[in-house]
Amino acid sequence: YATSVVLLGHPTSCCSVAEIMSVLFFHTMKYRPDDPKNPNNDRFILSKGHAAPVLYSVWVEIGFLKESELMSMCQVDSTLEGHPTPKQQFVDVATGSLGQGLGMACGMAYTAKYFDKSSYHVYCLLGDGEMSEGAVWEAMAFASYYQLDNLLAILDINRLGQSDPAPLQHHVEKYQRRCEAFGWHAIIVDGHSVEELCKAMSQQRHQPTAIIAKTIKGKGIPVAEDKMGWHGKVLSKDMAESVMRDLQSRILNSNKRMYPASPIEDTPPVSLRNVRMPSAPNYKTGEKIATCKAYGMAVAKLGRYNERVVAMDVDTKNVTHSEIFKNEHPNRFIECYSAEQNMVSVATGCAARDRNVVFASGLATFFTRAYDQLRMAAISDSNINLCGSHCGLSVGEDGPAHMGLEDMAIFRAIPTATIFYPSDAVSTEKAVELAANTKGVCYIRTIRPETAIIYNSNEDFHVGQAKVVCQSKEDQVTVIGAGMTLHEALAAAEQLKKERIYIRVIDPFTIKPLDAKTIIDHVRATRGRVVTVEDHYYEGGLGEAVCSAIVNEPSLTFQRLAVVHVPRSGKMSDLLKIYGIDRDSIAQVVRKMLSSSANAK
């Protein structure tokens, strides 16, 4: 009825799961209805997020929401959105981008079983349409491999998708065989039989279980039952009132209130405040170490004194160096294998309700595959930390398939993201510590080649604070680089000094937020002359970030060096030169800029 009042929603998708939701929330799940965030509560994820009104209706029935709130859902002043978001206490993660709920449920179930060692269970309701999403099957494989017997997935097999029937329609035995092939116990039930649902959900479980519920889309709405063309369409008010009267006439003991069972109180208290390094970085200036290795060492160090720091990887731990964490803290490391989408979802689930500080690592280039999961993590207000290793041309001979050259652009577009781009081991360790204490999605960009330590161990770092690493009173141009290109800029400064040309070199440390004030101050000091150089494609990276920061400055002379074309395999030194982001290219553009300036005078 509420969807007819607000003229929005998916009532037929809600009707197919009415009995499932009733059994889950008033028979099977254990939770405190007045305290949805109680750590002992069973967890529930509505992966088919378009059925949000049925979730809201349950919480009205429980008494947590008022019916008047339901009648204003999806409006600009309502916290009940078109798809579930954590604006409501009973929603842990945002859903609505199909196929992601089960991966996040895996993260919660893994946390319950292996980190919290607690009794709470995790329930995930999926639609048959999203069973075509590959991410669902990544999560299926993960759950069976780690024997998540505390995870129950309910598949709403209502036959109809948005514009066509689902590919398997009502062939529930095919869904059963697929789930069993992935190592799940699979039970077929009539999804509208309360008795069958109660019996199936009460079974003892020794592996992840899928209840395959054969249902009718639009059940209870005569005009829409099992009919195409009703997805996302609401009934007229008159029709809705007629359906309501019919349903109410069938209800026995309508005044009887039902209450869920109380949870077992065995979940340990957790505090993620003040997750700090036990000591300063232990590196010497001039020593050479790759920032990817410094990342692994830093996360392991952070984990030594913080038991809720956990790490995960996608079978790249030997090159991202997260294996250092695994070797020190094997019980807090999750191997997600080659499934980046699922790793991000698992990370989001592990971080939910502030149960863990999560660090997830992989090659920078392959986070593009998980962009939708990253986007949904931001909508979920998730605090997850990601490390993208082997970025840019520095992977050389591996070629463009392995060169992360778009990663800064994708993370810059995420509203809650912070992007750390450390240039040596000291700043990498500081980035890890800061990320652990920074809200939102944090991304740390690391490189494979060894680079010299340029900062003292007692150097202080902050989010949004750049460092000036080379300056003099005679500086004529400001050069901004990060990671590999910062070291190229410093080498260019040494070259140019021999020609009595002096440049100021800035390390931004964080690309987002960018330290606009420091950059503007130094650009002004060098008479508006500025060069950015980045191991990234021209679009969306450091150059555009700086451009946005200084766009209102008068009399600018601005040159951007970046990778303009899809690159090729080759030695890193050759590639940096070919694509114009090496020390010689920087020196050349500085000379040209000063020559043009002199000619103008």
Side-chain angles (χ1 to χ4, degrees):
Y1 182 74
T3 58
S4 296
V5 171
V6 298
L7 301 176
L8 285 165
H10 297 72
T12 58
S13 301
C14 295
C15 290
S16 64
V17 297
E19 290 87 355
I20 292 168
M21 292 292 281
S22 300
V23 171
L24 273 172
F25 278 86
F26 296 104
H27 171 268
T28 305
M29 287 171 57
K30 297 176 181 178
Y31 60 101
R32 296 195 175 279
D34 59 337
D35 184 12
K37 280 285 189 274
N38 189 297
N40 300 295
N41 288 350
D42 285 343
R43 316 299 201 242
F44 174 75
I45 295 177
L46 182 65
S47 189
K48 51 172 283 180
H50 54 284
V54 77
L55 177 64
Y56 304 152
S57 298
V58 163
W59 284 95
V60 169
E61 189 66 26
I62 289 165
F64 187 80
L65 293 176
K66 296 186 180 74
E67 194 170 309
S68 58
E69 293 177 89
L70 189 62
M71 298 304 164
S72 63
M73 65 179 178
C74 305
Q75 306 308 302
V76 73
D77 56 351
S78 172
T79 55
L80 301 177
E81 303 206 68
H83 293 78
T85 66
K87 286 186 173 70
Q88 279 298 335
Q89 288 185 56
F90 53 79
V91 176
D92 290 310
V93 290
T95 55
S97 180
L98 291 178
Q100 296 189 29
L102 191 60
M104 293 185 280
C106 284
M108 292 181 184
Y110 193 101
T111 293
K113 183 169 183 174
Y114 295 109
F115 300 149
D116 287 340
K117 297 178 172 61
S118 302
S119 303
Y120 65 86
H121 285 69
V122 182
Y123 299 86
C124 183
L125 177 55
L126 300 95
D128 50 0
E130 66 183 312
M131 300 304 289
S132 293
E133 294 280 1
V136 170
W137 300 99
E138 287 185 11
M140 282 263 180
F142 179 94
S144 63
Y145 182 78
Y146 287 110
Q147 286 296 292
L148 300 181
D149 52 3
N150 56 350
L151 174 61
L152 180 72
I154 306 97
L155 279 52
D156 172 31
I157 309 301
N158 66 25
R159 192 180 77 83
L160 301 178
Q162 178 166 325
S163 63
D164 255 331
L168 298 184
Q169 299 205 33
H170 267 150
H171 294 291
V172 286
E173 70 288 346
K174 291 184 179 179
Y175 286 104
Q176 183 181 40
R177 288 200 295 271
R178 289 184 183 188
C179 291
E180 288 172 346
F182 273 78
W184 286 55
H185 178 48
I187 310 165
I188 295 172
V189 300
D190 173 356
H192 299 298
S193 167
V194 170
E195 291 79 12
E196 286 189 36
L197 287 165
C198 287
K199 184 180 175 184
M201 290 188 196
S202 300
Q203 284 190 19
Q204 281 284 102
R205 301 198 289 274
H206 305 288
Q207 64 195 105
T209 297
I211 292 177
I212 300 161
K214 186 177 182 181
T215 61
I216 303 296
K217 193 165 185 173
K219 177 75 171 174
I221 306 173
V223 72
E225 274 195 6
D226 200 32
K227 289 188 174 70
M228 284 300 303
W230 277 94
H231 184 89
K233 290 184 180 176
V234 301
L235 307 180
S236 68
K237 265 195 181 180
D238 289 346
M239 199 183 292
E241 285 169 357
S242 171
V243 171
M244 290 285 286
R245 283 194 299 270
D246 178 53
L247 291 172
Q248 284 163 351
S249 71
R250 300 190 217 170
I251 296 173
L252 305 174
N253 300 325
S254 59
N255 295 323
K256 183 182 176 185
R257 294 300 297 266
M258 297 186 72
Y259 296 96
S262 293
I264 299 167
E265 299 195 9
D266 62 355
T267 305
V270 168
S271 174
L272 303 185
R273 290 179 187 166
N274 210 31
V275 178
R276 302 292 175 196
M277 288 291 186
S279 58
N282 186 25
Y283 298 105
K284 293 174 183 169
T285 308
E287 181 184 355
K288 283 196 164 188
I289 184 169
T291 55
C292 61
K293 185 173 184 180
Y295 164 81
M297 294 168 71
V299 178
K301 181 177 176 180
L302 191 68
R304 258 171 244 157
Y305 294 89
N306 302 277
E307 290 187 354
R308 299 306 296 208
V309 171
V310 303
M312 56 188 72
D313 206 297
V314 280
D315 196 25
T316 56
K317 58 187 174 290
N318 57 327
V319 292
T320 63
H321 294 279
S322 63
E323 67 179 2
I324 299 170
F325 183 97
K326 183 190 175 182
N327 292 338
E328 274 199 46
H329 317 287
N331 295 332
R332 286 186 274 143
F333 182 86
I334 308 175
E335 178 55 75
C336 296
Y337 298 97
S338 296
E340 287 82 5
Q341 294 181 22
N342 192 56
M343 180 179 72
V344 174
S345 291
V346 168
T348 303
C350 284
R353 300 200 185 195
D354 293 330
R355 298 307 298 170
N356 302 290
V357 176
V358 181
F359 284 88
S361 50
L363 300 192
T365 191
F366 299 127
F367 276 111
T368 55
R369 175 180 289 158
Y371 193 51
D372 194 19
Q373 282 74 10
L374 295 167
R375 189 180 66 86
M376 293 304 292
I379 297 170
S380 298
D381 291 331
S382 184
N383 302 318
I384 56 172
N385 307 298
L386 308 155
C387 176
S389 176
H390 291 52
C391 67
L393 301 179
S394 61
V395 299
E397 290 85 351
D398 287 341
H402 276 239
M403 293 173 177
L405 291 160
E406 313 88 354
D407 52 322
M408 283 198 284
I410 69 171
F411 280 98
R412 279 186 67 221
I414 295 173
T416 69
T418 299
I419 303 174
F420 296 90
Y421 195 174
S423 297
D424 76 346
V426 172
S427 54
T428 302
E429 187 168 313
K430 293 291 187 176
V432 166
E433 183 178 32
L434 287 166
N437 295 280
T438 300
K439 295 288 183 188
V441 175
C442 289
Y443 178 62
I444 303 171
R445 193 176 203 240
T446 63
I447 57 175
R448 179 169 70 178
E450 292 184 343
T451 51
I453 306 293
I454 55 177
Y455 294 110
N456 292 320
S457 288
N458 58 0
E459 185 78 31
D460 205 17
F461 285 83
H462 299 279
V463 172
Q465 187 179 95
K467 297 287 182 184
V468 182
V469 292
C470 175
Q471 68 174 319
S472 71
K473 290 180 181 177
E474 292 84 31
D475 292 339
Q476 298 154 284
V477 179
T478 295
V479 178
I480 305 168
M484 201 69 231
T485 62
L486 182 74
H487 293 272
E488 292 297 312
L490 289 170
E494 289 302 312
Q495 274 186 28
L496 291 165
K497 199 184 290 184
K498 295 170 186 172
E499 304 168 33
R500 296 190 178 179
I501 297 172
Y502 300 94
I503 62 173
R504 190 160 299 187
V505 180
I506 294 179
D507 171 10
F509 182 56
T510 56
I511 308 300
K512 181 181 179 179
L514 192 71
D515 185 354
K517 184 183 183 306
T518 294
I519 289 170
I520 288 169
D521 287 347
H522 291 281
V523 167
R524 286 174 180 171
T526 55
R527 299 185 182 183
R529 291 187 285 261
V530 58
V531 176
T532 60
V533 54
E534 59 191 304
D535 195 358
H536 187 275
Y537 282 135
Y538 200 74
E539 293 78 14
L542 172 63
E544 285 194 355
V546 171
C547 192
S548 298
I550 65 174
V551 67
N552 292 322
E553 287 297 294
S555 306
L556 279 176
T557 307
F558 189 12
Q559 184 72 43
R560 292 168 54 196
L561 301 179
V563 181
V564 179
H565 307 292
V566 175
R568 52 161 296 117
S569 295
K571 287 183 180 176
M572 181 189 73
S573 56
D574 291 339
L575 295 176
L576 294 177
K577 190 175 190 67
I578 289 168
Y579 296 101
I581 59 170
D582 69 329
R583 60 196 68 185
D584 292 338
S585 301
I586 296 167
Q588 185 58 34
V589 82
V590 166
R591 292 187 198 101
K592 191 174 179 182
M593 189 176 279
L594 292 174
S595 171
S596 298
S597 181
N599 290 339
K601 283 181 183 177

